[in-house]
Amino acid sequence: MDDSNLDYRYGLALEVRPTHIDVTSDDPERFIYDTIGKIVLYDADGDSRLRVGDFRLTFVDVEGAIAARESVLDVFDAERRTLEYFEALYDIDSASFTRAVHDAAGGASIFCPNLLILDRLTILPRHRGHGVGLAVLIQLMRRFGPGAGLIAMKPFPLQLEATPPEDASARRGLRLSVFPKNGRAATAELWRYYSKLGFRLVRGTKMMVFDPFSPLPEPATFLANSKSGTEG
């Protein structure tokens, strides 16, 4: 596919990796559902495709855990990355969202304690600057948000992330060296970026949240000028 003729308004798609689900598991983590996939771009004929990036998100079924009389803390504690969301967003005793979360989500009451975590989104260098990241987030929230009382993320600059030696080659392919090395400035830039969709920072934390019942723009809003590269 010729790079000079890429048009992200057509043929942009998400491919979800098949998952293994243990039917008889009684571990607390059975209430955590991970979705991992690729972002791809098909040509006009649908005959060839390019890998544009990757994503990972996690749905935590708090209602299911409560109904099964499973400790909500134990569910979140199944993984370190989910535990920090519980500690930042939930009241430990009631397993409901904190007042600060309600305020960040617009002040409305959140009756469903289920959480959708937008865990990771990477766009390959050749596809940056075309609005792909925000367009993909919109589609991910629409597809996987139903059933969640809140959508959350913890923006963190990938260029500052510690990388295991075995992942070094893949990391070099992302060309993260072009991004700012100042952690505070880089994180603030990410906050501004995601606020375009309505995400708001929860006071006293590094988490941003979104009310899934709030309206979202169409993905094409960010892809309309894809060839000119005017969007991030």
Side-chain angles (χ1 to χ4, degrees):
M1 196 182 295
D2 183 4
D3 277 16
S4 63
N5 197 36
L6 297 181
D7 192 341
Y8 297 90
R9 294 170 295 179
Y10 309 101
L12 192 64
L14 306 177
E15 295 185 350
V16 177
R17 182 191 301 176
T19 58
H20 171 85
I21 301 175
D22 188 345
V23 174
T24 60
S25 172
D26 60 358
D27 292 334
E29 64 183 351
R30 69 188 185 278
F31 296 103
I32 297 179
Y33 316 129
D34 290 324
T35 301
I36 300 172
K38 297 185 296 185
I39 308 162
V40 298
L41 180 67
Y42 285 87
D43 64 11
D45 299 322
D47 296 328
S48 62
R49 63 177 183 173
L50 289 173
R51 178 168 163 257
V52 174
D54 304 277
F55 65 87
R56 180 175 68 192
L57 43 145
T58 299
F59 187 96
V60 186
D61 182 12
V62 176
E63 284 187 323
I66 293 173
R69 298 187 177 181
E70 188 73 66
S71 164
V72 175
L73 174 58
D74 287 348
V75 172
F76 278 91
D77 195 28
E79 297 185 35
R80 180 178 177 181
R81 63 186 177 89
T82 52
L83 178 60
E84 63 178 338
Y85 281 89
F86 181 75
E87 293 174 337
L89 304 179
Y90 289 82
D91 177 82
I92 295 177
D93 295 324
S94 66
S96 59
F97 293 114
T98 65
R99 182 71 261 167
V101 168
H102 285 261
D103 293 342
S109 297
I110 306 173
F111 297 104
C112 176
N114 296 343
L115 181 68
L116 176 65
I117 300 170
L118 302 176
D119 189 52
R120 194 173 187 88
L121 176 68
T122 56
I123 305 298
L124 296 179
R126 66 192 289 194
H127 304 294
R128 293 172 188 155
H130 302 290
V132 172
L134 293 179
V136 166
L137 279 179
I138 292 169
Q139 192 59 33
L140 288 174
M141 288 192 286
R142 285 181 172 173
R143 174 64 181 83
F144 298 99
L150 190 74
I151 301 174
M153 64 167 68
K154 181 186 177 183
F156 185 81
L158 291 179
Q159 66 270 30
L160 303 179
E161 189 176 61
T163 306
E166 62 270 20
D167 296 336
S169 178
R171 183 182 177 87
R172 284 194 295 271
L174 292 175
R175 299 179 192 171
L176 299 175
S177 59
V178 302
F179 294 112
K181 301 298 188 297
N182 182 292
R184 181 175 297 181
T187 301
E189 181 59 31
L190 287 176
W191 290 343
R192 287 191 291 270
Y193 179 74
Y194 293 119
S195 69
K196 294 178 183 179
L197 295 184
F199 279 89
R200 296 292 179 264
L201 193 64
V202 178
R203 67 176 179 271
T205 79
K206 296 180 180 179
M207 306 293 182
M208 298 188 81
V209 298
F210 180 85
D211 177 0
F213 296 99
S214 296
L216 282 166
E218 290 298 317
T221 303
F222 299 99
L223 297 172
N225 296 319
S226 59
K227 289 188 177 181
S228 66
T230 56
E231 293 290 343

